[in-house]
Amino acid sequence: MKQLFLDRREAGRKLAGILAKVAPIPDAVVLALPRGGVPVGLEVARALGAPLDVVIVRKLGHPWQPELAMGAIASGGVRVMNPEVVAAGDISEADIAAVLARETRELERRERAYRGDRPPVPVQGRTVVLVDDGVATGSTMLAAVRALRSLGPASIIVAVPVAPADTLSRLRGEADAVACVATPEPFLGIGLWYQRFSQLSDAEVHELLDARAGEMARSARAPFDSANV
């Protein structure tokens, strides 16, 4: 089996190359799902001249069946519940509150680790390009799309280097547009399509976000610097 990408950075550059063919991208902001989506998102953000931020999604697992999602929370104070699971499981408000408190603490910890003191990039009225290093079932990406809707973006484009075709079909039903470099069959797993697919640390994610924030700041200063020459 031949790998499609050397690493996530190369995958991001290839993904950026096809994004312009999918839909117009005015006033874009790139939101990456950490950790693996961040180096992909960095290259997409550079190509689009857009800011880069993270959107963190935490599943709210059923109190007695943690693998079953009764909802999800995401960056920006978003909470999405699955009322059918809650009703069928006879879950009390106290049960929900306990799970919500635990996952909120972890979400906030990750946001501090990734972003530091920098505020989130605003998305209201903007085109959000939602990036990961690939999707398999697409459940986390779907949760991210649904959560972001409540923040009022103009549109949401899901962008991934690799995914199964049936998962992309489901995502097209939720997002305004979908961009993907490759849909290999059989799919088998995201990491198999990369030559290098090592895990990133929280510190590495922080460094990549800082790097893009610094680039955006220098770009914003450039016209003023030129005027003073």
Side-chain angles (χ1 to χ4, degrees):
M1 182 174 62
K2 182 181 179 181
Q3 282 90 6
L4 298 169
F5 314 109
L6 173 63
D7 55 19
R8 292 180 177 93
R9 300 285 286 272
E10 182 187 71
R13 291 190 288 272
K14 289 185 175 181
L15 181 58
I18 69 165
L19 264 169
K21 303 175 184 178
V22 174
I25 311 178
D27 196 21
V29 55
V30 177
L31 297 185
L33 275 70
R35 299 182 178 94
V38 176
V40 181
L42 176 64
E43 298 301 327
V44 172
R46 284 171 169 166
L48 297 178
L52 173 67
D53 203 352
V54 290
V55 57
I56 302 169
V57 177
R58 297 291 299 173
K59 179 178 75 174
L60 300 176
H62 190 290
W64 308 290
Q65 295 175 269
E67 72 282 358
L68 177 61
M70 62 177 180
I73 58 173
S75 301
V78 175
R79 183 175 111 176
V80 179
M81 298 301 295
N82 185 334
E84 291 82 9
V85 172
V86 173
D90 192 25
I91 304 168
S92 70
E93 288 297 325
D95 293 327
I96 294 173
V99 174
L100 181 61
R102 181 178 67 247
E103 295 301 336
T104 298
R105 286 193 297 271
E106 177 59 17
L107 186 148
E108 291 173 347
R109 183 199 70 78
R110 292 190 182 207
E111 287 200 324
R112 288 192 299 271
Y114 299 153
R115 193 184 290 123
D117 296 329
R118 191 168 55 250
V121 175
V123 302
Q124 186 172 9
R126 305 179 73 172
T127 299
V128 172
V129 182
L130 190 56
V131 177
D132 205 351
D133 54 13
V135 293
T137 66
S139 57
T140 301
M141 184 64 80
L142 281 171
V145 171
R146 291 168 181 170
L148 285 168
R149 288 289 183 201
S150 69
L151 300 179
S155 62
I156 298 174
I157 300 172
V158 169
V160 293
V162 62
D166 58 344
T167 297
L168 291 183
S169 295
R170 288 195 297 274
L171 290 169
R172 287 189 182 98
E174 299 272 351
D176 297 289
V178 173
C180 183
V181 177
T183 55
E185 293 292 343
F187 182 71
L188 302 177
I190 297 169
L192 295 176
W193 303 105
Y194 288 81
Q195 290 184 38
R196 295 201 292 265
F197 197 70
S198 58
Q199 293 299 311
L200 277 76
S201 67
D202 288 353
E204 287 173 312
V205 171
H206 183 89
E207 288 171 5
L208 293 173
L209 293 174
D210 267 3
R212 184 58 189 155
E215 290 167 358
M216 293 294 292
R218 288 191 293 274
S219 177
R221 288 197 304 266
F224 299 98
D225 294 342
S226 297
N228 291 327
V229 171

